Amino acid sequence: QVQLVESGGGLVQAGGSLRLSCEASGRTFRSAAMGWFRQAPGKEREFVATISWSSSKTYYADSVKGRFTISRDNAKITVYLQMNSLKPEDTAVYYCAADHGGAQAMTRVDAVDYWGKGTLVTVSS
């Protein structure tokens, strides 16, 4: 059974930091690209960041460049999202994603094969 489980969400003040984690289980994701998307209330789900299986390639949405960092540990089959300098507009449910089509291809929501259930991040002003 394929499963992606996120953790690390919560409430933080603007300017603060959070680190999200996503652990994959059920099949090997070591060769899959992984990433993070988010969905704010009343908005569509959007791309945040993706990382290739080897960690050699990363992609970021313009809105988070310089503030968020994606990384992964293939031994633990876990992907992380370090979020710094958080803004109220970063408030959303953050979803972990995995796909065998490559990190660049999975920047599109409709290209993602596997989704986690999401973790809520709330940034207060």
Side-chain angles (χ1 to χ4, degrees):
Q1 182 178 356
V2 174
Q3 195 171 16
L4 298 171
V5 180
E6 302 97 336
S7 61
L11 174 64
V12 64
Q13 288 188 332
S17 298
L18 279 176
R19 188 193 195 204
L20 305 183
S21 299
C22 170
E23 184 174 357
S25 62
R27 61 172 291 172
T28 178
F29 281 103
R30 292 184 178 87
S31 61
M34 298 186 73
W36 293 93
F37 292 71
R38 66 186 182 186
Q39 187 166 16
K43 295 188 177 181
E44 294 186 349
R45 192 170 300 188
E46 64 177 9
F47 157 71
V48 174
T50 58
I51 186 168
S52 63
W53 69 270
S54 65
S55 301
S56 62
K57 296 181 180 179
T58 57
Y59 299 90
Y60 294 93
D62 288 342
S63 59
V64 307
K65 279 181 182 176
R67 300 188 298 123
F68 291 10
T69 301
I70 189 170
S71 61
R72 66 187 291 166
D73 182 338
N74 285 344
K76 297 179 180 179
I77 321 178
T78 299
V79 64
Y80 305 96
L81 186 68
Q82 178 67 43
M83 305 185 295
N84 298 329
S85 303
L86 282 161
K87 305 175 181 179
E89 51 263 44
D90 294 318
T91 294
V93 177
Y94 282 70
Y95 296 91
C96 179
D99 187 82
H100 289 279
Q104 187 173 24
M106 74 174 290
T107 59
R108 290 171 41 210
V109 173
D110 60 359
V112 174
D113 289 336
Y114 304 101
W115 293 100
K117 292 184 178 181
T119 185
L120 178 62
V121 172
T122 303
V123 184
S124 63
S125 56

